[in-house]
Amino acid sequence: MARNDRDAKRHRLLEAAAELFAHKGYHATRVGEIAQQAGVAKGTVYEYFATKEELFYALLDHWLTQFESELSERLASEPDPLQQADIVREAAVQFYQRHATHAPIFLEFWAHALRSPDGRFLGRIQRFRAFLEEWGHRLTKALVDGGVFLPVDVPSLVRLEAGISDGVFLLWVLSGQGFSLERAYVFRQSVLGLGVLSEAARQVLQEKLRQKLREGFLERSLES
Amino acid sequence: MARNDRDAKRHRLLEAAAELFAHKGYHATRVGEIAQQAGVAKGTVYEYFATKEELFYALLDHWLTQFESELSERLASEPDPLQQADIVREAAVQFYQRHATHAPIFLEFWAHALRSPDGRFLGRIQRFRAFLEEWGHRLTKALVDGGVFLPVDVPSLVRLEAGISDGVFLLWVLSGQGFSLERAYVFRQSVLGLGVLSEAARQVLQEKLRQKLREGFLERSLES
Amino acid sequence: MARNDRDAKRHRLLEAAAELFAHKGYHATRVGEIAQQAGVAKGTVYEYFATKEELFYALLDHWLTQFESELSERLASEPDPLQQADIVREAAVQFYQRHATHAPIFLEFWAHALRSPDGRFLGRIQRFRAFLEEWGHRLTKALVDGGVFLPVDVPSLVRLEAGISDGVFLLWVLSGQGFSLERAYVFRQSVLGLGVLSEAARQVLQEKLRQKLREGFLERSLES
Amino acid sequence: MARNDRDAKRHRLLEAAAELFAHKGYHATRVGEIAQQAGVAKGTVYEYFATKEELFYALLDHWLTQFESELSERLASEPDPLQQADIVREAAVQFYQRHATHAPIFLEFWAHALRSPDGRFLGRIQRFRAFLEEWGHRLTKALVDGGVFLPVDVPSLVRLEAGISDGVFLLWVLSGQGFSLERAYVFRQSVLGLGVLSEAARQVLQEKLRQKLREGFLERSLES
DNA sequence: CATGAATGAGAGTTCATTCAT
DNA sequence: AATGAATGAACTCTCATTCAT
């Protein structure tokens, strides 16, 4: 079998697994179902992945690696830190939206990572977070050093931003994806921006950001 | 058997389940183990909970109800919105810290809530969020109306705050609880505060909040 | 459940397994079949034996222990070495005949013992052989010391006797149990007797033993 | 492919199977392992043997046929029955020693023969035994008729000898091949010899045989 | 002839749940 | 109410065999 065939079939299996894991959850999904969905026999799954968990891990790795590659590429061609911050936000939103139906799986990745005794899941996730933090740290530091941001403990701010991203994502997932993820990220960015921008920078951006605050990100306001 | 005995045994079962679910995860925990840990026979578990999932739900309900009760009580005796905001934050931190070892279970609650076809888990979680949002909405609105906060879409801000709380909690769990949750909440509060406080209010609090930003919440800064 | 019930059910499982292992072989016998044969559910087998192999071992142990007990008891009440030799032979023959239908299993015990990495099977079998050798050694030594047997290396003779017993058994099994095991043992005993008896003892027994040699142990002689 | 290539590859497969069956057992050996060990692809095994069991049978047949051929050849050139008896013993010992590492497989052949519904294994083994018995019968009869042996039921004696051979072999295998197989066969021969030799013949050989009895065949006597 | 990816029946084992005691 | 032996459906994974290339 040609290399391409193998890769294609492997990819079909990952896609089938993604769909089923998203829909029914990791534990409730049967290996036979994945095979069926991918159009192969049950035994064939084990030609590509040693265990069901291995397939689960491969899915995590596939997605994170893909995101890392894409983001690296985009950021490499944009030197301005402020623009880079937008790129990261856009990339995250696009990634999540592209995988909108798969979103619930991430909760399972996290839950699994906390139990898995071999630490592979947790390790991969932390490597991903480290990758993001590295970029976050670099560009946040540039903004602080450039006087755009107030003096602030950069690692803490970066971590907080990461946490907030996950939190907004969680909110989005648990609320049935009932609002625009992109607008929510813009809203978040506006609040944080007003919080950490230096006086000078704020003078410039204040109006625009305050406007975002007034708009919110929910389709139907709770007030209405 | 007296009512008290039943309640006590039920509580022992919940505690046993909490410990095991936290340690090994919901799926990897056997009903027999829970029984053993609680000092009863396997069959006895089913005298108190119809199914394993029912027990899982009871645990979620027990914790959320407890939190709702405590918070309601505390807030009832404090009329000032600004003070109330602190109370909510404190209550959340205290709650999470009290259940620090159980923290990973929440990821499983969320994951489970997204699959459970009957929607009970998701419903209970949304009821909890609604409870928090109600309070958040009330006191945020008071702050906006009182001119302490900038004009802002209150529902969006409240949601964002909730998301951020979960995100910081997630961060804390996935990083092995490697930093002070309380300090992280204070840091978050400072960033958000600087972002949404009105000009007047900021004049008063600015210095204190900026100081928090400089301090960060991580024990060992990545910069050092 | 009473202790007796458990023991009885365990015994039923052993009997069912014995029958099936004898008929179809260890590998070809399914755990479900054993359960069915014993009148219990498949899962129940695992209440009594941790694995299929464990059940196999239990069968070996049960039979060997039973034989050891019976033989010990019989030998304890008979002081004369010559009589004891007969008792051992009789016990062996009786044992094998009682388990005539199970006989093929012993080949599998041996084969299994040689592979089993944990050495449990081999260890048990060697313990059994050691038990037999101990008695063999004791009574053979008495016969040599008493001048009934020629001077001979006792351990070697004892081992040879054990090997011959197994060999005759093997012969019996592989030939479809087509001759009288008892007569074969008598024949063997006669040949060996004439071989190792001292001059004096031979004078006494010679005629009887030679008669046995002439008779042979096969129903239909190949000569006829 | 030339005939020779096929034969060579077939032989390599038999050798690979022999090694693996001996080491891990028939059931635990995977067809893929045999292929790998022989340096061919898994599918290729099926170009040479229809099934795994067929390969197992081919191994049995190969060994027995080889032994039959060799023994026939050697015996054909030696007319004296007494010498022939030695030749048979030597051939057996040599054969077993050449296949010392494969020895455990014979237990599996036997066990398999007793189950195999088609009777092929059992048939082949019985044909082998018949071949040996034929020779045994011929030369034992010559010894009896020549007055070297006592009058004895020849078929029974021949069978007993065969059984004893297998028994000693079994002993050797189960004891981890912990003694000299050759010396054990000599010891056995001495005991049987003293048992069945006629008075006249015994006079001649008595001293030599009794010496063997005193020596035994075990390296370290249990008495020491 | 040789290959090795694909197959799928079937294996041993697990474990939430039941129910007679 | 409490027990724990019994259940059996359902699981993941294996591996001898096939067959398109």
Side-chain angles (χ1 to χ4, degrees):
Chain A
M1 177 183 263
R3 181 62 196 273
N4 274 351
D5 280 8
R6 264 197 86 80
D7 284 358
K9 197 170 280 189
R10 193 187 131 99
H11 201 249
R12 275 221 316 282
L13 282 166
L14 285 175
E15 276 178 337
E19 186 163 333
L20 286 158
F21 288 160
H23 204 68
K24 317 180 61 174
Y26 172 73
H27 283 99
T29 298
R30 308 301 153 208
V31 173
E33 292 177 306
I34 298 171
Q36 198 173 21
Q37 177 88 359
V40 299
K42 191 167 29 156
T44 305
V45 175
Y46 290 89
E47 291 282 324
Y48 291 82
F49 305 97
T51 62
K52 186 187 177 187
E53 198 195 20
E54 184 84 356
L55 169 54
F56 196 41
Y57 178 81
L59 194 59
L60 172 68
D61 186 55
H62 177 62
W63 283 342
L64 298 192
T65 299
Q66 188 177 291
F67 182 74
E68 287 164 357
S69 305
E70 282 180 21
L71 187 55
S72 292
E73 204 175 329
R74 292 202 215 176
L75 286 171
S77 60
E78 172 57 64
D80 177 24
L82 257 181
Q83 298 294 326
Q84 284 186 333
D86 281 345
I87 285 177
V88 170
R89 180 175 47 75
E90 275 166 26
V93 170
Q94 276 176 27
F95 180 78
Y96 282 138
Q97 279 175 340
R98 192 192 316 156
H99 293 292
T101 62
H102 305 142
I105 304 181
F106 282 87
L107 283 175
E108 299 202 286
F109 283 143
W110 291 332
H112 198 93
L114 290 171
R115 324 305 193 176
S116 188
D118 63 6
R120 260 181 4 134
F121 280 74
L122 193 55
R124 185 63 186 87
I125 288 172
Q126 284 172 342
R127 230 165 68 223
F128 177 71
R129 297 188 93 105
F131 165 83
L132 287 184
E133 278 188 9
E134 204 174 86
W135 277 104
H137 193 265
R138 198 176 307 165
L139 62 87
T140 305
K141 195 159 188 309
L143 293 167
V144 171
D145 291 347
V148 181
F149 278 7
L150 292 170
V152 58
D153 182 57
V154 174
S156 293
L157 183 59
V158 169
R159 283 264 176 114
L160 180 66
E161 285 222 58
I164 291 176
S165 288
D166 288 341
V168 170
F169 165 68
L170 195 60
L171 191 67
W172 186 59
V173 171
L174 287 175
S175 67
Q177 307 180 11
F179 56 82
S180 159
L181 189 60
E182 184 162 23
R183 290 186 61 199
Y185 268 79
V186 169
F187 186 84
R188 173 205 77 153
Q189 194 104 330
S190 305
V191 174
L192 291 182
L194 285 168
V196 298
L197 284 175
S198 66
E199 296 289 347
R202 183 142 39 121
Q203 296 306 327
V204 183
L205 295 164
Q206 193 158 249
E207 267 327 297
K208 196 177 135 207
L209 297 179
R210 286 185 178 174
Q211 174 58 25
K212 295 292 181 192
L213 289 202
R214 280 191 297 271
E215 285 172 7
F217 61 90
L218 299 170
E219 289 311 311
R220 300 155 166 240
S221 172
L222 287 177
E223 287 180 310
S224 69
Chain B
M1 177 182 271
R3 183 60 198 273
N4 273 352
D5 281 6
R6 260 196 86 79
D7 284 358
K9 199 172 278 187
R10 192 187 130 98
H11 200 249
R12 276 222 314 284
L13 281 166
L14 284 175
E15 274 179 336
E19 186 163 333
L20 287 159
F21 288 160
H23 205 66
K24 318 179 60 175
Y26 172 71
H27 282 99
T29 297
R30 310 299 157 212
V31 172
E33 291 177 306
I34 298 171
Q36 195 174 24
Q37 178 90 356
V40 300
K42 194 168 25 157
T44 305
V45 175
Y46 290 85
E47 294 288 328
Y48 292 82
F49 306 97
T51 64
K52 186 187 178 187
E53 199 195 19
E54 182 75 33
L55 169 54
F56 196 42
Y57 178 81
L59 193 60
L60 171 67
D61 185 54
H62 176 63
W63 283 342
L64 298 192
T65 299
Q66 186 178 292
F67 183 73
E68 287 164 356
S69 305
E70 281 180 22
L71 186 55
S72 292
E73 204 175 332
R74 291 202 216 176
L75 287 170
S77 60
E78 172 57 63
D80 177 22
L82 257 182
Q83 298 295 325
Q84 285 187 332
D86 281 345
I87 286 177
V88 171
R89 181 175 48 76
E90 274 165 27
V93 169
Q94 276 176 27
F95 179 78
Y96 282 139
Q97 278 174 342
R98 193 194 315 156
H99 293 293
T101 61
H102 305 141
I105 303 181
F106 283 86
L107 284 176
E108 300 202 284
F109 283 143
W110 291 332
H112 198 93
L114 290 170
R115 325 302 193 178
S116 190
D118 62 6
R120 264 182 359 135
F121 280 74
L122 192 55
R124 185 63 187 86
I125 288 172
Q126 284 172 343
R127 231 166 67 224
F128 177 70
R129 296 188 94 107
F131 165 84
L132 286 184
E133 278 188 10
E134 206 177 335
W135 276 106
H137 193 264
R138 197 176 308 163
L139 64 87
T140 304
K141 193 159 190 312
L143 292 167
V144 172
D145 292 347
V148 182
F149 278 7
L150 293 170
V152 59
D153 182 59
V154 173
S156 294
L157 183 61
V158 169
R159 284 262 177 115
L160 180 67
E161 285 222 58
I164 290 176
S165 288
D166 288 342
V168 170
F169 166 67
L170 197 60
L171 191 68
W172 185 59
V173 172
L174 287 175
S175 66
Q177 308 180 10
F179 55 83
S180 158
L181 189 60
E182 184 162 23
R183 289 186 62 198
Y185 269 78
V186 170
F187 185 84
R188 173 205 75 152
Q189 195 101 330
S190 305
V191 175
L192 291 181
L194 284 169
V196 298
L197 284 175
S198 66
E199 296 291 345
R202 183 142 38 119
Q203 296 306 327
V204 182
L205 295 164
Q206 192 157 252
E207 267 327 297
K208 196 177 135 206
L209 298 180
R210 287 185 176 175
Q211 175 57 26
K212 295 292 182 194
L213 289 202
R214 280 191 298 270
E215 284 172 10
F217 62 90
L218 299 170
E219 289 312 309
R220 299 156 167 239
S221 171
L222 288 177
E223 289 181 309
S224 69
Chain C
M1 177 183 263
R3 181 59 196 274
N4 274 351
D5 281 7
R6 263 196 86 79
D7 284 357
K9 198 170 279 188
R10 192 186 130 99
H11 201 250
R12 276 222 315 284
L13 281 166
L14 284 175
E15 275 179 337
E19 186 163 334
L20 287 159
F21 288 160
H23 205 67
K24 317 180 60 174
Y26 173 73
H27 283 99
T29 299
R30 308 301 153 209
V31 173
E33 291 177 306
I34 298 172
Q36 198 172 21
Q37 178 88 358
V40 299
K42 190 159 39 145
T44 305
V45 175
Y46 290 88
E47 291 282 324
Y48 291 82
F49 305 98
T51 62
K52 187 187 178 187
E53 199 195 20
E54 183 83 356
L55 169 54
F56 196 41
Y57 178 82
L59 195 59
L60 171 67
D61 186 54
H62 178 61
W63 283 342
L64 298 192
T65 299
Q66 187 177 290
F67 182 74
E68 287 165 356
S69 304
E70 282 181 20
L71 186 55
S72 292
E73 205 175 330
R74 292 202 215 176
L75 287 170
S77 60
E78 172 56 62
D80 177 24
L82 257 180
Q83 298 294 326
Q84 285 187 331
D86 281 344
I87 287 177
V88 171
R89 180 174 49 76
E90 275 165 27
V93 170
Q94 276 175 29
F95 180 78
Y96 282 137
Q97 278 175 341
R98 193 192 315 156
H99 293 293
T101 61
H102 305 142
I105 304 181
F106 282 88
L107 284 176
E108 299 203 285
F109 283 144
W110 290 332
H112 198 93
L114 290 171
R115 326 299 194 182
S116 190
D118 62 7
R120 258 176 11 129
F121 280 74
L122 193 54
R124 186 62 187 86
I125 288 172
Q126 284 172 343
R127 231 165 67 224
F128 177 70
R129 297 188 94 106
F131 165 83
L132 286 183
E133 278 188 8
E134 206 174 84
W135 276 104
H137 193 266
R138 199 174 309 164
L139 62 89
T140 304
K141 195 158 187 312
L143 292 167
V144 171
D145 291 349
V148 181
F149 277 7
L150 292 170
V152 59
D153 183 58
V154 174
S156 294
L157 183 60
V158 168
R159 283 262 177 115
L160 180 66
E161 286 222 57
I164 291 176
S165 288
D166 288 341
V168 171
F169 166 67
L170 196 60
L171 191 69
W172 186 60
V173 172
L174 287 176
S175 66
Q177 308 180 11
F179 56 81
S180 158
L181 190 60
E182 185 162 20
R183 290 186 62 200
Y185 269 78
V186 169
F187 186 84
R188 174 205 75 151
Q189 195 103 328
S190 306
V191 174
L192 291 181
L194 284 169
V196 298
L197 284 175
S198 65
E199 296 290 345
R202 185 145 35 122
Q203 296 305 327
V204 180
L205 296 164
Q206 193 157 250
E207 267 327 297
K208 196 175 134 205
L209 298 179
R210 287 185 177 175
Q211 175 58 25
K212 296 290 181 193
L213 289 201
R214 280 191 296 272
E215 285 171 9
F217 62 89
L218 299 170
E219 288 312 309
R220 302 160 166 234
S221 172
L222 288 176
E223 287 178 311
S224 67
Chain D
M1 176 183 267
R3 182 61 196 273
N4 273 352
D5 280 8
R6 261 197 86 78
D7 284 357
K9 199 171 278 187
R10 193 186 130 97
H11 199 250
R12 276 222 315 283
L13 281 167
L14 284 175
E15 275 179 337
E19 186 163 334
L20 287 160
F21 288 160
H23 205 67
K24 318 179 60 174
Y26 172 73
H27 283 99
T29 298
R30 309 301 158 210
V31 172
E33 291 177 307
I34 297 172
Q36 195 175 25
Q37 177 90 359
V40 300
K42 194 169 23 155
T44 305
V45 175
Y46 289 85
E47 294 288 328
Y48 292 82
F49 306 97
T51 64
K52 186 187 178 187
E53 199 195 20
E54 182 74 36
L55 169 54
F56 196 40
Y57 178 80
L59 194 59
L60 172 67
D61 185 55
H62 177 62
W63 283 343
L64 297 192
T65 300
Q66 187 178 292
F67 183 72
E68 287 164 356
S69 305
E70 281 180 22
L71 187 54
S72 293
E73 203 175 332
R74 291 203 217 176
L75 287 171
S77 60
E78 171 56 62
D80 177 22
L82 257 180
Q83 297 296 325
Q84 285 186 331
D86 281 346
I87 286 177
V88 171
R89 181 175 47 76
E90 274 166 27
V93 170
Q94 276 175 29
F95 180 77
Y96 282 138
Q97 279 175 341
R98 193 191 316 155
H99 293 291
T101 61
H102 305 141
I105 304 181
F106 282 87
L107 283 175
E108 299 202 285
F109 282 143
W110 291 332
H112 199 93
L114 291 170
R115 325 297 193 186
S116 191
D118 62 8
R120 264 185 355 137
F121 280 74
L122 193 54
R124 185 64 186 87
I125 288 172
Q126 284 172 342
R127 229 165 67 224
F128 177 70
R129 296 188 95 107
F131 164 83
L132 286 184
E133 279 189 7
E134 207 177 336
W135 276 104
H137 193 265
R138 196 175 310 162
L139 64 87
T140 304
K141 193 158 189 309
L143 292 166
V144 171
D145 291 348
V148 181
F149 278 7
L150 291 169
V152 59
D153 181 58
V154 174
S156 294
L157 183 58
V158 168
R159 283 262 177 115
L160 180 66
E161 285 223 58
I164 290 176
S165 287
D166 289 342
V168 170
F169 167 66
L170 197 60
L171 191 68
W172 185 59
V173 172
L174 287 176
S175 66
Q177 307 180 9
F179 55 82
S180 159
L181 189 60
E182 184 162 20
R183 289 185 61 198
Y185 269 79
V186 169
F187 186 84
R188 175 205 74 152
Q189 194 101 332
S190 305
V191 173
L192 290 181
L194 283 169
V196 298
L197 283 174
S198 66
E199 296 291 347
R202 185 145 35 125
Q203 296 306 328
V204 182
L205 296 164
Q206 192 158 252
E207 266 327 298
K208 197 175 135 209
L209 298 179
R210 287 186 178 175
Q211 175 57 24
K212 295 292 181 192
L213 291 201
R214 281 192 295 271
E215 284 172 9
F217 63 90
L218 299 170
E219 289 310 310
R220 299 154 168 242
S221 173
L222 289 176
E223 289 181 308
S224 67

